[in-house]
């Protein structure tokens, strides 16, 4: 958040830089909307496939939900990263008018926001699942024929699969 705010406080540059940056942002939003429509179809198919495996008692019951949460956090990270990247473009160009070092500082700060967002939201999702499943199955019986390790690892791996699926698109 600190890096993002620092980048957003920098001057946007000349009016023509601002205009081009607005076009880039508009195109990025249109791209993400289209991409997320396609991803939604892929997630529907994967969700139904996983529900079938849960119905056959081959996977723990919350695995399909974990796919969706992993995908949600990954999509949010992509949206936030794209948002800061497109907002940083004109600021980087404006900083380049001063010199190479200021421009690189803006660009690396904006890029760091994406990397830290992906890692932070991924860890948030996995830690939430671990905490919830540990709590839930300390109070509820485990699915038949499954151990706590199997339930937790299957669920967390499927959450990661959801995040990776969004990232592949």
């Amino acid at each position: 958040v600190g890096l993002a705010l620092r980048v957003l406080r920098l001057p946007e540059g000349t009016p023509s830089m601002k205009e081009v940056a607005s076009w880039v942002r508009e195109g990025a939003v249109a791209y993400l909307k289209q991409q997320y429509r396609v991803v939604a179809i892929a997630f529907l198919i994967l969700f139904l496939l996983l529900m079938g495996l849960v119905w056959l008692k081959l996977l723990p019951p919350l695995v399909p939900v974990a796919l969706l949460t992993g995908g949600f956090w990954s999509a949010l990270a992509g949206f936030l990263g794209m948002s800061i990247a497109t907002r940083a473009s004109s600021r980087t160009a404006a900083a380049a008018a001063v010199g190479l070092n200021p421009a690189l500082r803006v660009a690396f700060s904006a890029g760091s926001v994406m990397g830290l967002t992906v890692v932070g939201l991924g860890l948030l999702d996995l830690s939430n699942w671990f905490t919830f499943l540990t709590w839930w199955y300390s109070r509820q019986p485990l699915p038949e024929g499954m151990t706590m390790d199997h339930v937790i690892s299957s669920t967390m791996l499927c959450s990661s699969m959801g995040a990776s699926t969004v990232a592949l698109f």
Side-chain angles (χ1 to χ4, degrees):
V1 170
L3 282 172
L5 292 175
R6 190 171 83 191
V7 168
L8 295 175
R9 280 193 288 256
L10 296 171
E12 290 185 71
T14 65
S16 61
M17 287 179 186
K18 291 177 187 178
E19 184 179 18
V20 170
S22 72
W23 295 337
V24 170
R25 275 193 300 278
E26 185 180 324
V29 169
Y31 166 76
L32 282 179
K33 283 182 181 179
Q34 182 59 35
Q35 179 187 25
Y36 290 166
R37 281 188 197 118
V38 173
V39 169
I41 294 167
F43 266 80
L44 177 63
I45 293 167
L46 287 170
F47 182 82
L48 293 174
L49 177 66
L50 291 173
M51 285 298 292
L53 293 173
V54 167
W55 184 75
L56 293 172
K57 299 186 192 262
L58 297 172
L59 287 175
L62 293 174
V63 163
V65 177
L67 173 86
L68 298 179
T69 64
F72 169 78
W73 291 114
S74 183
L76 180 62
F79 174 79
L80 293 173
M82 183 78 82
S83 177
I84 191 68
T86 56
R87 283 172 170 61
S89 64
S90 65
R91 290 168 169 88
T92 303
V98 176
L100 179 61
N101 190 33
L104 288 174
R105 287 184 184 275
V106 174
F108 284 133
S109 293
S112 297
V113 170
M114 180 60 183
L116 293 169
T117 302
V118 168
V119 171
L121 292 178
L123 287 173
L124 176 69
D125 187 43
L126 291 177
S127 63
N128 284 341
W129 273 113
F130 183 81
T131 302
F132 173 75
L133 292 170
T134 303
W135 171 81
W136 180 257
Y137 286 114
S138 69
R139 289 159 175 72
Q140 302 292 324
L142 288 164
E144 187 178 330
M146 296 183 191
T147 65
M148 181 71 99
D149 290 342
H150 178 245
V151 170
I152 289 176
S153 62
S154 295
T155 306
M156 290 175 66
L157 284 170
C158 200
S159 174
S160 298
M161 185 176 80
S164 296
T165 301
V166 169
L168 286 172
F169 283 89

